[in-house]
Amino acid sequence: MEALPWLVVKYVDLDWQWVLRNAKVFDGQNRLGFVVDVAEDLAKGLGEVERKGELQEMKRMIEWSRLVREDTLCADSMGEKERKKLRQKRTGKARHWNLLTDMEAKGAR
């Protein structure tokens, strides 16, 4: 899971329309939005200004379909104790995308 933002930065020829359409089919647009948001920080940290701009545009497209319900990034069976801990520990990006995760772009700044 932690490699996804890096993949988003490095593989510029993704079919974003297909990715977004399929994310919506499986209610994964918040997860996708979060990954793109973290990838944007990573691109900035790597000095990839053009890629950062492309990711900002993709993030704006995903924002239109952001879901209100809370979700996890990848651990659907997460217990309530860990959910509570992550609600307090999560980053602003995770909060914005309604995700329970402590993942961030470490070392990107």
Side-chain angles (χ1 to χ4, degrees):
M1 187 55 81
E2 292 179 2
L4 286 176
W6 181 86
L7 290 171
V8 169
V9 170
K10 292 299 177 183
Y11 290 91
V12 297
D13 293 332
L14 290 175
D15 182 349
W16 283 107
Q17 295 304 316
W18 181 90
V19 171
L20 183 54
R21 184 173 46 252
N22 281 281
K24 287 180 181 181
V25 166
F26 295 102
D27 287 338
Q29 55 265 48
N30 287 14
R31 291 172 176 166
L32 177 61
F34 176 75
V35 168
V36 170
D37 212 347
V38 172
E40 182 186 343
D41 284 350
L42 185 59
K44 179 182 177 184
L46 294 171
E48 297 191 27
V49 178
E50 184 176 330
R51 187 68 179 138
K52 181 183 180 297
E54 294 167 353
L55 293 169
Q56 283 177 324
E57 183 58 35
M58 186 60 197
K59 192 171 65 173
R60 278 192 281 276
M61 290 174 54
I62 300 167
E63 185 70 39
W64 282 98
S65 60
R66 185 165 55 102
L67 300 172
V68 175
R69 72 174 168 83
E70 185 177 76
D71 201 356
T72 64
L73 186 56
C74 65
D76 292 332
S77 62
M78 183 185 298
E80 189 53 41
K81 186 176 180 178
E82 188 171 357
R83 288 174 183 267
K84 184 177 180 180
K85 182 180 96 176
L86 284 173
R87 277 186 199 105
Q88 296 170 354
K89 187 179 177 183
R90 65 185 170 178
T91 64
K93 290 181 188 313
R95 189 174 298 106
H96 174 80
W97 293 103
N98 299 316
L99 291 177
L100 296 173
T101 182
D102 58 357
M103 188 172 103
E104 59 184 318
K106 294 178 180 141
R109 293 179 193 250

